[in-house]
């Protein structure tokens, strides 16, 4: 039962353009969402998060949008840079779970071409 | 060190053997997590420690898997009678928050386990 799903295993964009990574979830108890970035041979690193009481959170070139009715969130990167090339994981947590236990999606490999 | 440290970085073992994977969290972080990442998948939750106690071990796949954190700092994930399906990258993460307001976890680079 995949509660967090990233349907696009890969995405390729040109430098300077917008990258849009998508994520869908099924568990209506999820109320906190995060994006992590992972380079090869490194652990995932936190990128940006959003609480379910918001529909948008922005941090520099990164913006996360949340559509609760559709159970969908997206990460926008603009402008995209070659250094953004990495695997991006969507993750979610629910209030009733202990600590910060996260449920991750499968990841999307982003490639930004110079 | 400044980050989460995991050893060994790579471990190759034979089916049926016993394996220990070690995690040294960021100093002062009370929460510690173990995740497992199989090829082409996202990290999958295994167990969460708050201090010395396992607050949530519901992600451990079976009783061959066990983890300890006796002094509330370093943790060891122990796998008995390893099977080929245990092959994965085992990720450790720590957090300095007992709540979940940010949910930010700091991950180590992982221990890649290969069971032949």
């Amino acid at each position: 039962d995949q509660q967090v799903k990233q349907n696009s295993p890969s995405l390729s964009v040109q430098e300077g353009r917008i990258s849009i990574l998508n994520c869908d979830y099924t568990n209506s108890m999820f109320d906190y969402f995060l994006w992590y970035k992972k380079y090869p041979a490194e652990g995932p690193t936190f990128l940006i998060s959003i609480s379910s009481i918001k529909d948008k959170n922005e941090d520099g070139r990164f913006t996360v949008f949340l559509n609760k009715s559709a159970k969908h969130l997206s990460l926008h990167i603009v402008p995209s840079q070659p250094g953004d090339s990495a695997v991006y994981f969507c993750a979610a947590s629910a209030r009733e779970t202990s600590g910060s236990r996260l449920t991750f999606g499968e990841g999307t490999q982003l490639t930004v071409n110079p | 060190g400044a980050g989460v440290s995991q050893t060994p970085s790579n471990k190759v073992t034979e089916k049926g053997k016993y394996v220990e994977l070690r995690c040294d969290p960021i100093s002062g972080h009370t929460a510690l997590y173990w995740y497992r990442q199989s090829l082409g998948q996202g990290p999958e939750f295994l167990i969460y420690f708050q201090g010395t106690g396992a607050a949530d071990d519901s992600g451990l796949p079976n009783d061959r898997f066990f983890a300890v954190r006796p002094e509330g700092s370093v943790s060891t994930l122990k796998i008995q009678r390893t099977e080929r399906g245990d092959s994965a990258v085992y990720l450790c993460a720590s957090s300095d928050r007992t709540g979940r307001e940010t949910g930010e976890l700091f991950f180590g680079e992982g221990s890649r386990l290969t069971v032949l």
Side-chain angles (χ1 to χ4, degrees):
Chain A
D1 176 26
Q2 190 69 27
Q3 297 187 60
V4 178
K5 195 148 184 64
Q6 296 174 254
N7 289 311
S8 297
S10 63
L11 174 67
S12 183
V13 301
Q14 284 300 118
E15 181 178 6
R17 305 296 291 268
I18 185 170
S19 295
I20 300 176
L21 298 99
N22 293 302
C23 177
D24 297 292
Y25 62 95
T26 57
N27 188 342
S28 58
M29 299 303 294
F30 287 148
D31 60 352
Y32 199 82
F33 305 90
L34 308 90
W35 285 93
Y36 278 78
K37 179 169 73 172
K38 186 181 183 304
Y39 294 116
E42 294 185 9
T45 55
F46 171 77
L47 190 57
I48 193 169
S49 62
I50 188 167
S51 165
S52 61
I53 62 174
K54 297 183 177 179
D55 55 18
K56 176 183 174 182
N57 188 27
E58 189 172 354
D59 183 1
R61 296 186 296 115
F62 303 90
T63 303
V64 56
F65 295 92
L66 175 62
N67 183 335
K68 284 182 291 184
S69 61
K71 293 191 177 66
H72 177 84
L73 65 156
S74 61
L75 174 68
H76 292 209
I77 307 173
V78 56
S80 302
Q81 299 173 354
D84 295 330
S85 298
V87 177
Y88 288 78
F89 291 101
C90 170
S93 69
R95 186 177 305 278
E96 82 276 7
T97 60
S98 57
S100 295
R101 171 178 174 168
L102 300 177
T103 300
F104 285 84
E106 308 95 323
T108 297
Q109 171 70 59
L110 173 65
T111 303
V112 180
N113 301 302
Chain B
V4 177
S5 175
Q6 292 189 245
T7 55
S9 56
N10 278 286
K11 175 71 176 178
V12 180
T13 191
E14 293 180 344
K15 180 175 178 294
K17 298 289 188 182
Y18 170 79
V19 166
E20 287 190 355
L21 306 175
R22 175 190 166 103
C23 172
D24 199 344
I26 293 172
S27 178
H29 280 193
T30 58
L32 185 146
Y33 304 78
W34 284 98
Y35 284 80
R36 175 170 72 174
Q37 186 177 10
S38 301
L39 194 62
Q41 300 296 315
E44 175 191 20
F45 171 79
L46 295 177
I47 186 169
Y48 155 60
F49 287 90
Q50 185 56 50
T52 60
D56 183 353
D57 65 357
S58 61
L60 295 176
N62 51 61
D63 61 6
R64 295 187 297 106
F65 288 75
F66 190 70
V68 295
R69 194 186 186 199
E71 298 178 356
S73 178
V74 170
S75 176
T76 305
L77 178 65
K78 308 180 180 193
I79 310 173
Q80 299 177 321
R81 305 184 303 280
T82 52
E83 300 177 355
R84 293 192 179 89
D86 298 335
S87 296
V89 175
Y90 289 81
L91 294 164
C92 178
S94 69
S95 171
D96 63 352
R97 288 177 170 82
T98 56
R100 52 182 293 283
E101 282 73 26
T102 68
E104 180 179 354
L105 306 183
F106 296 84
F107 282 87
E109 294 182 352
S111 293
R112 179 176 297 278
L113 174 66
T114 303
V115 182
L116 302 177

